[in-house]
């Protein structure tokens, strides 16, 4: 069965520092996709970044990068130069498997301190 | 603009009542999903559908029902059998996985419906 684990329920980071949000996953399927979403207090889900299981390079999108370590089954999100507006809940998700489900981790609440 | 519309934004349910949450998308996506989110928690999959007239149970389908009569629409009914329905409900859609070896694209989400018990 597929599983996503986010072990950091909450984090406090000083503004302008880099932050790493942890995500590990488990799947027996060789083809899968990994995603990160941001959820502000208003509730909407904002797509941040995607990594395919066959991608050789780590994905990057502006200040976001995904540190993909396939052998360790980890897909950590790195936010460089954090901003106050980065304060939100962050979810790691995985898509794949024969039934092509998309499942989410429990999330990490990030607080950026001024 | 293309997107996903969920309605209503807030919904109140009386004891023993069924309520239906609407989800409509104009992105021409084949796949649609319903998730439940409890306060401070992650998203749990209720039902999903990859094609019209077909849908599958997710991890917490008990007490819920869905239909997929049109590609654009995937309504969720919270039945009276769901004893703890108070939560935030999110609908999402995506392109179907194009094939083995190409894990596919992310989901687009609606703005959610907050359901409470009266």
């Amino acid at each position: 069965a597929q599983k996503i684990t986010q072990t950091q329920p909450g984090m406090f980071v000083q503004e302008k520092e880099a932050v790493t949000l942890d995500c590990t996953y488990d799947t027996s399927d060789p083809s899968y996709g990994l995603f990160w979403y941001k959820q502000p207090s208003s509730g909407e889900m904002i797509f941040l970044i995607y990594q395919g299981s066959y991608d050789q390079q780590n994905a990057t999108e502006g200040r976001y990068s995904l540190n993909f370590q396939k052998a360790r089954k980890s897909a950590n999100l790195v936010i460089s130069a954090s901003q106050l507006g980065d304060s939100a809940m962050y979810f790691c998700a995985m898509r794949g498997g024969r039934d092509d489900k998309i499942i989410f981790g429990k999330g990490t609440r990030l607080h950026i301190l001024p | 603009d293309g997107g996903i519309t969920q309605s209503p934004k807030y919904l109140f349910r009386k004891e023993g009542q069924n309520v239906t949450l609407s989800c409509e998308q104009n992105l021409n996506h084949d796949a649609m999903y319903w998730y439940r989110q409890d306060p401070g928690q992650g998203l749990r999959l209720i039902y999903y559908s990859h094609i019209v007239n077909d849908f599958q149970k997710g991890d917490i389908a008990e007490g819920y029902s869905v239909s997929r009569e049109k590609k654009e629409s995937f309504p969720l009914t919270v039945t009276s059998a769901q004893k703890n329905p108070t939560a935030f409900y999110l609908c999402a859609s995506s392109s179907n996985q194009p094939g083995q070896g190409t894990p596919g694209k992310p989901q687009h989400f609606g703005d959610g419906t907050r359901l409470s018990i009266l």
Side-chain angles (χ1 to χ4, degrees):
Chain A
Q2 295 175 300
K3 190 178 178 183
I4 290 273
T5 303
Q6 293 181 255
T7 57
Q8 306 152 309
M11 289 184 71
F12 290 83
V13 173
Q14 209 66 41
E15 190 181 7
K16 298 180 186 173
E17 288 184 354
V19 56
T20 298
L21 304 180
D22 295 339
C23 173
T24 57
Y25 61 92
D26 193 17
T27 180
S28 56
D29 196 62
S31 174
Y32 52 90
L34 296 157
F35 311 91
W36 278 91
Y37 286 86
K38 172 183 178 180
Q39 187 182 42
S41 55
S42 50
E44 74 266 30
M45 295 289 281
I46 302 168
F47 166 69
L48 297 177
I49 196 166
Y50 161 80
Q51 180 87 40
S53 58
Y54 296 110
D55 293 343
Q56 298 295 318
Q57 306 264 3
N58 285 347
T60 59
E61 289 285 350
R63 292 186 300 113
Y64 304 107
S65 61
L66 200 152
N67 184 2
F68 181 46
Q69 298 189 38
K70 197 169 181 177
R72 293 186 179 183
K73 293 190 174 178
S74 88
N76 298 341
L77 177 70
V78 179
I79 306 174
S80 63
S82 57
Q83 302 170 355
L84 295 177
D86 294 333
S87 293
M89 196 78 166
Y90 288 80
F91 292 101
C92 180
M94 176 169 63
R95 177 175 189 172
R98 191 176 55 184
D99 50 7
D100 195 27
K101 285 199 303 188
I102 303 177
I103 61 169
F104 285 76
K106 293 188 176 182
T108 296
R109 183 166 294 282
L110 177 63
H111 304 268
I112 305 297
L113 304 171
Chain B
D1 281 341
I4 300 179
T5 302
Q6 286 188 243
S7 62
K9 196 174 177 73
Y10 298 95
L11 187 58
F12 297 91
R13 195 191 88 169
K14 292 181 183 177
E15 202 77 36
Q17 187 182 40
N18 292 354
V19 292
T20 297
L21 285 60
S22 170
C23 178
E24 303 275 333
Q25 54 99 0
N26 60 3
L27 299 165
N28 200 32
H29 284 163
D30 289 301
M32 296 187 74
Y33 311 79
W34 274 106
Y35 294 90
R36 170 181 171 140
Q37 186 179 26
D38 292 286
Q41 301 296 313
L43 280 67
R44 292 185 290 168
L45 183 62
I46 305 173
Y47 269 99
Y48 61 106
S49 166
H50 288 305
I51 195 167
V52 174
N53 293 323
D54 189 42
F55 48 82
Q56 285 76 41
K57 292 182 180 180
D59 300 318
I60 55 163
E62 189 174 345
Y64 300 96
S65 66
V66 293
S67 63
R68 187 85 188 276
E69 297 175 4
K70 297 187 300 181
K71 186 176 184 177
E72 302 80 21
S73 178
F74 192 40
L76 173 74
T77 296
V78 184
T79 73
S80 56
Q82 174 49 247
K83 297 305 178 189
N84 184 23
T86 297
F88 185 51
Y89 291 86
L90 282 159
C91 178
S93 72
S94 73
S95 305
N96 271 337
Q97 186 170 331
Q100 204 65 17
T102 50
K105 297 183 178 179
Q107 295 164 306
H108 295 248
F109 281 85
D111 289 339
T113 293
R114 293 191 187 276
L115 175 62
S116 302
I117 291 282
L118 276 180

